[in-house]
Amino acid sequence: MHKAARSVRSPNGYGQVQTQLPERAPSLVMGVPEPQTNMLVVEKFGQLVRATTYLFNPANVPLCAPRPESAERRIAARLRGGTVRPLSLVSFASQSSKIEFSLEDDRFGSAPIHRLPGELLAIVLDLSLDHGPHSSERILRTITTSHVCRYWRNVMLETALFWSLIDLRYPTIGRHFCARSRTAGIQITFSQALFTDVHAVLTAAQNWLSPHIRRIESIHLSASQTTMKQVLYLCRSASPDIANLFAGLANRMTAGPTLFVEFHNARIRRISLDGVALSGRDRLSMFPASLTRLAFSRLHRDTCLSVAQVLAILKHCPNMKEVVLLSALAPRPGGATEEFDSSLLTHLPYLQSLQIGDASRAAVVSLLSYLSLPHTATLGIHCHGTHDLRALLPADLSGLRMCCPPPGPHISTALQVTPSHIALVNQRGSRHLSSVHFAVAPDDVPHILAGAPSLGSLLAGVTGLQAASSAPSVPIHAWAATFACLPQLATFELGGAWMYHILLALGAASAPPRGGSAGVTVPCPRLRCVHLVDTHRSPGVNILDALRQLESLERCLAARAQYLGSPLEMLVVDATFARESTQALSFVLTRLGNVTRRMVLRDRRSSLLIPNCAFLCADGTGMAFMPL
């Protein structure tokens, strides 16, 4: 009697073959199979052929080879081996697994990406996994990508970077990732959901994470502050600074706050707190002297920091490079009449970026008045709902040296105006030096530009202006007020919906006030170069709009040439014109050539314009045609 029948699982991973065979069944012969198992073997063989042949569809991946029919013949030849020999179902499964991997090597090896060195392939795969540095989606994509083929898997297993993100919610995955990351640093993340059993998660993590805690480089937590303190206590041996950070957090069960801590050589280098409530203890001890990056945002209103506390923290961390303070300052006691205290003056010689914004404008002004920043730093001020930007800056700008860069032949300042921000960018030659950014609301831009005279000291050294936008136009009087504050303006880049009113304000001449000297004044008398952008991006745009813009530009430049006695030095036009507009544009460009010394037309299809406009080049007007 035969023993009970059993199931055989194929080692190639295509599933279990539900074939009921006796324990001592006779061997199957491929040439003359037994009637009861013939269809099963043929079906299994067909599944193998279809799975390996169409592993990558040639229609989707045309560079993969070989063709399906040749692969099928090769599999059959490998199975037969040139002779008809016995082949049991178990041995068939074993050989099919080998053939599958052989065919996989042939197909995957022919793809161009598999000819990349392992180092380059690791970079490409890492970029494809980018879903945020602490997103659990990256973990799932890492697992999926590592199962594409053996070459990708070997490269990823040899690169510890792919296995450095550990989510405490997945203990099994976290244990394997810790092992595969070997001795490299790891990043801990935990996001508390509504029904997360925090006690069970942390109890399990204490067992499998303990041997790797000293390798922790960052902790990202999105949970209640009580849970944050529990995770910090679990990771307390990663850095001696965690104890003070643990003590500085209040116990709160409400979910929503976010905490991010970054370590370097077991010392905290970066702390980001969002929506966090601080405890009533000494908050200065929370932030070690090794700190270089600090961010406070949306602090609990009962535990917001005073200006003196922020200055004490910054003075305690002299190596600070980045500071973010958004809705984190307590209203300044004493109001706007508070006297300056020289003992609070704080020098930050290594600061690279400072972002500040708060509902209490007096607190913002007070904090900026006590800071001494280098001239290479970037200052960002969030001022939504503000119509006067000067009201957010201290009266004495000597400490904010990026607002008033030192004069020099190689230093220039550009004013950038967009619907969402107004910026002053300082450059030394072509290299970015520093900048001052004001984040504004689109509805506030006309009011801010109309009040530009209050920024006279900041705009006096501006030599370049960029104002190109498709947003609703800004009134003429707002641009006129801005141009009145730009006596050194030399280059101008404009376009979009703002262009018409800008040109009207730029070409308008005004008579001197009563009692003044005779003559007419023109805005920005030192203007030498005008760069026109977004004139006609696609043939679908109405050509009449582009012609109107160019005609407005011609009238503006003609008026300026009449009052100044000399034409514009240079005009640059970036455009994409249609073939049917060539004749009309030739006429407008001819008129523009009469009010400019040199004109550069850069068109992506300049061959459509050059034949019809060649007479302009030979006319002595100094025009040049340069394709992009």
Side-chain angles (χ1 to χ4, degrees):
M1 295 295 294
H2 296 293
K3 294 184 179 180
R6 59 184 178 87
S7 297
V8 180
R9 178 176 293 274
S10 172
N12 60 8
Y14 279 113
Q16 181 172 322
V17 183
Q18 299 296 336
T19 306
Q20 300 298 326
L21 292 178
E23 185 69 20
R24 297 181 181 179
S27 299
L28 301 177
V29 181
M30 293 296 297
V32 186
E34 293 186 3
Q36 295 181 354
T37 58
N38 180 24
M39 295 304 300
L40 294 174
V41 174
V42 172
E43 182 182 356
K44 178 60 182 176
F45 177 77
Q47 292 176 355
L48 175 64
V49 172
R50 288 192 297 270
T52 54
T53 300
Y54 301 103
L55 189 59
F56 276 105
N57 190 342
N60 297 331
V61 187
L63 296 180
C64 291
R67 296 177 59 83
E69 56 270 17
S70 61
E72 185 175 352
R73 288 195 300 267
R74 187 168 64 256
I75 291 176
R78 289 284 299 274
L79 288 175
R80 289 194 301 268
T83 59
V84 179
R85 55 190 177 86
L87 184 66
S88 65
L89 186 59
V90 177
S91 60
F92 169 79
S94 177
Q95 291 194 25
S96 65
S97 177
K98 297 179 181 179
I99 295 171
E100 175 193 353
F101 288 122
S102 176
L103 183 59
E104 177 184 337
D105 292 340
D106 292 341
R107 289 194 172 279
F108 280 98
S110 61
I113 192 173
H114 292 278
R115 292 195 290 267
L116 289 176
E119 296 81 1
L120 295 179
L121 179 61
I123 296 175
V124 173
L125 295 179
D126 180 59
L127 294 176
S128 68
L129 299 175
D130 190 11
H131 276 262
H134 306 99
S135 174
S136 55
E137 179 67 21
R138 177 183 174 89
I139 297 177
L140 303 179
R141 289 178 66 89
T142 298
I143 298 174
T144 304
T145 306
S146 65
H147 285 75
V148 171
C149 66
R150 287 193 298 175
Y151 179 50
W152 287 24
R153 184 173 180 83
N154 292 336
V155 170
M156 296 183 69
L157 289 177
E158 293 174 358
T159 307
L161 175 66
F162 294 104
W163 318 101
S164 60
L165 183 60
I166 310 298
D167 195 329
L168 298 181
R169 296 176 300 173
Y170 310 129
T172 303
I173 297 176
R175 187 181 298 107
H176 287 287
F177 273 41
C178 286
R180 292 178 180 180
S181 61
R182 295 185 289 275
T183 60
I186 58 177
Q187 289 79 41
I188 301 297
T189 182
F190 178 72
S191 179
Q192 183 179 358
L194 182 62
F195 300 103
T196 302
D197 190 349
V198 178
H199 177 73
V201 169
L202 297 183
T203 301
Q206 189 173 6
N207 297 327
W208 59 268
L209 186 61
S210 298
H212 311 282
I213 287 181
R214 295 190 178 276
R215 294 196 287 123
I216 295 178
E217 291 185 347
S218 67
I219 301 175
H220 180 268
L221 304 176
S222 179
S224 66
Q225 293 191 199
T226 301
T227 303
M228 288 181 180
K229 299 187 71 170
Q230 293 175 353
V231 177
L232 291 177
Y233 183 79
L234 175 65
C235 304
R236 62 189 181 277
S237 60
S239 171
D241 302 327
I242 291 184
N244 292 330
L245 183 62
F246 173 88
L249 295 178
N251 289 315
R252 290 180 180 270
M253 298 297 297
T254 304
T258 302
L259 178 145
F260 176 70
V261 185
E262 190 174 84
F263 307 94
H264 182 71
N265 293 333
R267 305 296 298 187
I268 294 181
R269 292 299 180 89
R270 180 178 178 180
I271 296 178
S272 297
L273 302 175
D274 179 72
V276 173
L278 305 178
S279 66
R281 304 180 185 179
D282 183 15
R283 298 170 184 175
L284 182 61
S285 60
M286 292 179 58
F287 311 101
S290 59
L291 200 63
T292 59
R293 289 173 172 82
L294 179 63
F296 292 115
S297 59
R298 301 185 305 120
L299 292 186
H300 196 273
R301 60 183 181 180
D302 297 335
T303 61
C304 284
L305 300 171
S306 64
V307 173
Q309 289 175 330
V310 173
L311 294 174
I313 293 173
L314 298 179
K315 188 175 296 186
H316 182 65
C317 307
N319 298 321
M320 195 69 69
K321 295 181 179 179
E322 294 182 9
V323 178
V324 178
L325 298 170
L326 300 177
S327 300
L329 297 177
R332 190 181 65 171
T337 59
E338 183 181 4
E339 296 183 358
F340 181 81
D341 186 358
S342 59
S343 63
L344 297 178
L345 185 63
T346 304
H347 299 271
L348 299 175
Y350 305 106
L351 191 70
Q352 299 174 356
S353 174
L354 171 62
Q355 293 189 44
I356 185 171
D358 202 273
S360 176
R361 301 176 185 175
V364 173
V365 175
S366 176
L367 180 62
L368 293 177
S369 62
Y370 286 108
L371 293 178
S372 177
L373 308 180
H375 66 276
T376 56
T378 296
L379 175 62
I381 302 178
H382 296 254
C383 46
H384 293 78
T386 302
H387 293 172
D388 186 5
L389 301 183
R390 194 63 177 86
L392 294 172
L393 296 173
D396 184 9
L397 295 176
S398 58
L400 307 178
R401 284 178 282 180
M402 76 290 297
C403 296
C404 302
H410 302 293
I411 296 180
S412 60
T413 302
L415 174 62
Q416 298 176 351
V417 182
T418 69
S420 59
H421 83 279
I422 297 176
L424 290 168
V425 181
N426 303 314
Q427 294 180 336
R428 178 180 282 118
S430 59
R431 185 174 64 88
H432 177 84
L433 188 64
S434 62
S435 60
V436 181
H437 291 263
F438 297 94
V440 298
D443 296 339
D444 298 333
V445 173
H447 303 283
I448 293 174
L449 295 180
S454 64
L455 299 172
S457 60
L458 294 177
L459 302 180
V462 171
T463 58
L465 175 61
Q466 299 175 1
S469 173
S470 59
S473 59
V474 178
I476 300 175
H477 71 275
W479 291 116
T482 302
F483 293 148
C485 304
L486 304 175
Q488 305 296 327
L489 187 66
T491 60
F492 198 171
E493 181 178 309
L494 70 158
W498 288 358
M499 181 177 174
Y500 179 70
H501 287 170
I502 288 176
L503 292 176
L504 290 179
L506 193 62
S510 59
R514 292 183 178 182
S517 58
V520 178
T521 60
V522 178
C524 311
R526 297 191 179 186
L527 185 63
R528 300 192 309 270
C529 177
V530 173
H531 185 183
L532 199 64
V533 297
D534 296 332
T535 306
H536 192 31
R537 279 196 173 273
S538 63
V541 179
N542 189 359
I543 181 59
L544 296 178
D545 295 338
L547 291 176
R548 292 192 188 100
Q549 291 180 350
L550 293 178
E551 290 175 353
S552 300
L553 177 62
E554 187 271 333
R555 289 193 295 268
C556 171
L557 297 181
R560 292 181 59 86
Q562 178 183 357
Y563 292 115
L564 296 176
S566 61
L568 186 71
E569 291 291 336
M570 186 174 182
L571 173 64
V572 181
V573 180
D574 285 341
T576 302
F577 298 109
R579 183 186 297 273
E580 61 272 11
S581 63
T582 301
Q583 184 176 0
L585 290 171
S586 300
F587 176 73
V588 178
L589 293 174
T590 303
R591 294 169 54 184
L592 283 172
N594 297 328
V595 293
T596 58
R597 297 184 186 275
R598 182 168 181 259
M599 185 168 67
V600 177
L601 177 61
R602 299 190 295 192
D603 187 87
R604 294 177 177 84
R605 297 175 298 171
S606 57
S607 60
L608 299 178
L609 290 172
I610 291 178
N612 296 325
C613 300
F615 69 96
L616 297 177
C617 297
D619 208 13
T621 57
M623 291 189 180
F625 294 89
M626 302 170 57
L628 285 178

